[in-house]
Amino acid sequence: GDPDPVQDFCVATKVGDSESSAFPYLLSDDFFFGAQAHGASTDNAMGSGVTPGNVEAFPGLNTLGLSINRVDLAPGGVNPLHTHPRSAELVHVEAGEMLVGFVSTDGTFYSKVVKAGESFVIPRGMMHFQYNVGKSAARAMTVFNSQLPGVVFAAQSLFATKPEIPDAVLAKSFMVDVEIVKLLRSKFRKGY
Ligand code: GLV
Ligand code: MN
């Protein structure tokens, strides 16, 4: 379940309203979420689409310490490298086949081609991806032991920040010239 921090910080939250949501006023629909019956478009540079089912989309999850995403991948599509600071992730493939991989803190890369009906687990905080290595569309449901796992995309969190991380910091960190940093920024500033 969720440990103490469930958000990056705690200014205020729109989720939940525990004071006013007394039992008798709850409806069956408060525990239902249907948005994942259809996948998100994969018509983008990554060939992937994620339909989130965290507490912001599915308010009934509040305080329950779990959530679910749907991941759709076109052939060759990638759900690009990212981490979830507050959750492990269980990837259950429902259609097609995808290479699912993560990197542990000692730099070991663990990966597996996972097919329909099979599952793979990504420990909390590890950098990971899904890559459709099959010939047809692939789909997975991803389940989290947090109501709001958080997502940190590797590329965006370095090259599409507001304001920008200084050129010198990125150039030194990646041991490349500033031109390379500017090229990468130009790719990610507009999103996919
Ligand atoms: C997949 O990695 C997801 O975060 O849903
Ligand atoms: Mn993930």
Side-chain angles (χ1 to χ4, degrees), residues 82 84 89 128:
H82 64 277
H84 304 290
E89 171 179 328
H128 65 278

Side-chain angles (χ1 to χ4, degrees), residues 50 69-71 79 82 84 89 91 122 128-130 142 144 151:
V50 176
N69 286 352
R70 171 174 168 156
V71 180
N79 183 18
H82 64 277
H84 304 290
E89 171 179 328
V91 181
I122 295 155
H128 65 278
F129 66 87
Q130 292 97 16
T142 53
F144 302 87
V151 57

Side-chain angles (χ1 to χ4, degrees), residues 24-133:
Y25 304 112
L26 290 175
L27 302 169
S28 298
D29 270 350
D30 290 318
F31 303 98
F32 172 81
F33 183 61
Q36 292 168 336
H38 306 283
S41 171
T42 59
D43 189 12
N44 51 57
M46 294 295 135
S48 77
V50 176
T51 311
N54 59 36
V55 70
E56 290 171 345
F58 184 178
L61 294 178
N62 197 34
T63 75
L64 301 186
L66 74 161
S67 56
I68 183 166
N69 286 352
R70 171 174 168 156
V71 180
D72 287 274
L73 299 172
V78 174
N79 183 18
L81 288 160
H82 64 277
T83 69
H84 304 290
R86 294 181 288 272
S87 186
E89 171 179 328
L90 182 85
V91 181
H92 182 74
V93 177
E94 288 193 329
E97 51 191 281
M98 52 183 84
L99 180 72
V100 184
F102 71 87
V103 181
S104 61
T105 55
D106 69 358
T108 307
F109 174 51
Y110 298 92
S111 71
K112 177 101 183 155
V113 175
V114 188
K115 299 183 176 143
E118 300 175 340
S119 302
F120 193 76
V121 70
I122 295 155
R124 174 172 162 174
M126 306 286 100
M127 187 70 75
H128 65 278
F129 66 87
Q130 292 97 16
Y131 171 37
N132 184 352
V133 291

